[in-house]
Amino acid sequence: MTGPAPGAYPPGMNDHPLDALVRPHLDRLVAFRRDLHRHPELKYEEHRTAGKVEEALKAAGYETRRCAGTGVIADAGPPGPRTALRGDMDALPLEERNGFDHRSTVPGRMHACGHDGHTTILLGTALALASRGGTLRRGVRFLFQPAEEGGAGAKRMVEEGALDGVERIFGMHNWPIFPVGTVGVRPGPMMAAAALFEMKVVGRGGHGSQPQEAKDPILAAAQVVTLAQALVSRETHPLKPAVVTFGTIHGGTATNIIPDFVTLSGTIRTLDDAQADRLGARVEEVARGVCGAFGLSVEFRYHRYYPVTSNHPEEAALVARVGEELFGKGAVSGEQLPTMGAEDFSYFLQKVPGAYYFLGGSAPGRTNAMCHSTEYDFNDDLLLPAIRMYLRLVEA
Ligand code: NI
């Protein structure tokens, strides 16, 4: 299946001279994106995807190299300090509920976050720059990254030298709640630090009719869940966002049995790495304190994964300026509200200056389901404006 005729979209968007570099590739890019959508691959298993990317890059004259297993890197333009652009490639363990032709062909796997689109945007940028030949004034590096979804692929790429010779980096995420042709960015924290905790509240089981002979872990677990909420509402500065969410709670087998233990797990999100550590320590203290008061014990594990994705002011301002130039002043929020979602782009931003931004992906007549929904699909109308944005950023 091919996309709409070149020139026909995105609807209502003005032409820009840079689009001449993109439009010749657009039909092929739409087909490429939908092919990836049909064949989603989970973190560090992006073998087919990486192969397709390499094939297309090589056909356009690029040399490619592998990084972080299934990651692919290519350079364009002259040697010297480079601007890196990043596209993540992995899919999610989710059953797609869409009925269109390019729906997932793999049970239980789905491109539900639009990384098929991000990969295609980066490839489209590489194809457009290849046709520009030797006229690039500064070097560009394309980072096709594996395992954004919980695998910290960006961290591995950094460790394997993907940023060597890179002086700044840009990355984007499609954002289905904003219309196509809009940009959201901000200086400082753009996305949250994420951590997870798991705990086992251990008591002593017994007959439900004789609680005095048991140590009830269900009552203790219920208190822990309730009191942990006070860590945000009572201990955290009201202007410093934080989330403590319990995502699982399991215990018991029958109505008349007090179980031996209850397991709980959850996530902590903050816009400040130190605050994430503090909250994790406090959840543990609350759990130990509450359970200790009832004579129960706690096994606790806390794991910080992605740090805060914090934009560098100069690059964030550049993204806003370029967005205004390309899409109009009203199309850009330079003070985008951060989200409490997390992103491993954070590891790149810890190494070199750069910015991460959202590009609107919604349009009338689409379901516009949010990322990670079983009804989500990347909007192909975003390919052209997203590539235009990358092309302009590397030259700005
Ligand atoms: Ni994503």
Side-chain angles (χ1 to χ4, degrees):
M1 174 191 265
T2 60
Y9 68 104
M13 182 165 288
N14 296 330
D15 260 350
H16 188 276
L18 285 170
D19 297 352
L21 296 172
V22 187
R23 288 198 187 276
H25 305 289
L26 214 40
D27 271 357
R28 203 181 130 211
L29 290 170
V30 170
F32 186 91
R33 201 286 295 178
R34 293 180 181 187
D35 175 68
L36 294 190
H37 195 90
R38 275 186 208 100
H39 302 98
E41 295 174 300
L42 299 183
K43 58 185 170 192
Y44 293 121
E45 293 173 2
E46 305 92 337
H47 300 290
R48 182 183 184 277
T49 308
K52 290 278 173 193
V53 166
E54 284 170 331
E55 192 184 297
L57 287 172
K58 282 175 182 158
Y62 285 102
E63 278 178 34
T64 66
R65 64 181 191 276
R66 285 293 179 107
C67 184
T70 40
V72 177
I73 297 181
D75 287 341
R82 292 180 184 281
T83 297
L85 304 173
R86 175 269 215 159
D88 41 9
M89 301 192 291
D90 55 328
L92 284 157
L94 206 65
E95 187 72 34
E96 180 156 9
R97 284 205 296 153
N98 290 312
F100 44 63
D101 285 355
H102 62 278
R103 69 181 171 274
S104 171
T105 59
V106 189
R109 288 178 195 185
M110 176 185 175
H111 266 297
C113 204
H115 299 186
D116 49 347
H118 300 168
T119 304
T120 308
I121 288 164
L122 192 58
L123 176 65
T125 309
L127 298 184
L129 287 177
S131 62
R132 180 159 273 200
T135 62
L136 265 176
R137 284 178 293 123
R138 305 167 73 89
V140 179
R141 176 162 300 162
F142 308 101
L143 301 177
F144 293 88
Q145 185 209 302
E148 189 283 321
E149 297 287 355
K155 185 166 181 260
R156 239 182 99 178
M157 287 192 97
V158 170
E159 285 164 0
E160 293 184 21
L163 294 184
D164 293 353
V166 167
E167 63 172 352
R168 58 178 188 164
I169 186 165
F170 296 100
M172 53 74 64
H173 207 292
N174 76 100
W175 215 239
I177 50 179
F178 302 150
V180 168
T182 58
V183 183
V185 69
R186 74 190 304 277
M190 182 76 185
M191 295 186 79
L196 65 84
F197 59 83
E198 295 171 318
M199 68 176 96
K200 187 175 178 182
V201 172
V202 183
R204 189 172 70 237
H207 200 291
S209 67
Q210 294 162 27
Q212 76 281 7
E213 301 298 329
K215 299 279 185 201
D216 185 356
I218 288 189
L219 178 61
Q223 303 291 331
V224 171
V225 172
T226 307
L227 288 175
Q229 298 309 309
L231 299 176
V232 174
S233 70
R234 302 290 81 185
E235 288 191 0
T236 303
H237 194 294
L239 298 180
K240 288 196 168 182
V243 177
V244 175
T245 291
F246 283 81
T248 68
I249 174 164
H250 297 290
T253 53
T255 55
N256 61 351
I257 297 173
I258 293 171
D260 283 324
F261 63 86
V262 171
T263 56
L264 307 100
S265 70
T267 188
I268 290 174
R269 305 297 173 98
T270 64
L271 295 182
D272 173 319
D273 287 310
Q275 179 164 262
D277 288 337
R278 182 186 66 81
L279 276 171
R282 287 293 291 142
V283 170
E284 179 172 7
E285 277 173 18
V286 165
R288 292 200 189 285
V290 167
C291 293
F294 286 105
L296 293 85
S297 65
V298 180
E299 294 165 20
F300 190 89
R301 187 176 87 88
Y302 184 63
H303 176 59
R304 276 278 309 281
Y305 48 107
Y306 294 168
V308 176
T309 300
S310 198
N311 282 338
H312 296 242
E314 242 177 75
E315 283 70 23
L318 179 65
V319 166
R321 210 160 58 234
V322 164
E324 284 177 2
E325 177 202 316
L326 296 182
F327 309 118
K329 230 178 167 59
V332 177
S333 167
E335 285 297 333
Q336 168 69 40
L337 214 54
T339 90
M340 302 309 273
E343 232 311 323
D344 71 352
F345 197 79
S346 48
Y347 292 106
F348 293 129
L349 292 179
Q350 285 181 335
K351 276 278 172 195
V352 293
Y356 187 75
Y357 55 94
F358 299 146
L359 284 183
S362 72
R366 294 177 54 86
T367 58
N368 298 320
M370 190 50 185
C371 299
H372 293 213
S373 151
T374 53
E375 292 178 351
Y376 171 86
D377 186 33
F378 177 84
N379 184 355
D380 289 316
D381 286 349
L382 178 52
L383 291 172
L384 182 66
I387 296 169
R388 188 199 279 181
M389 186 89 183
Y390 270 165
L391 290 174
R392 189 69 191 87
L393 278 173
V394 298
E395 301 211 323

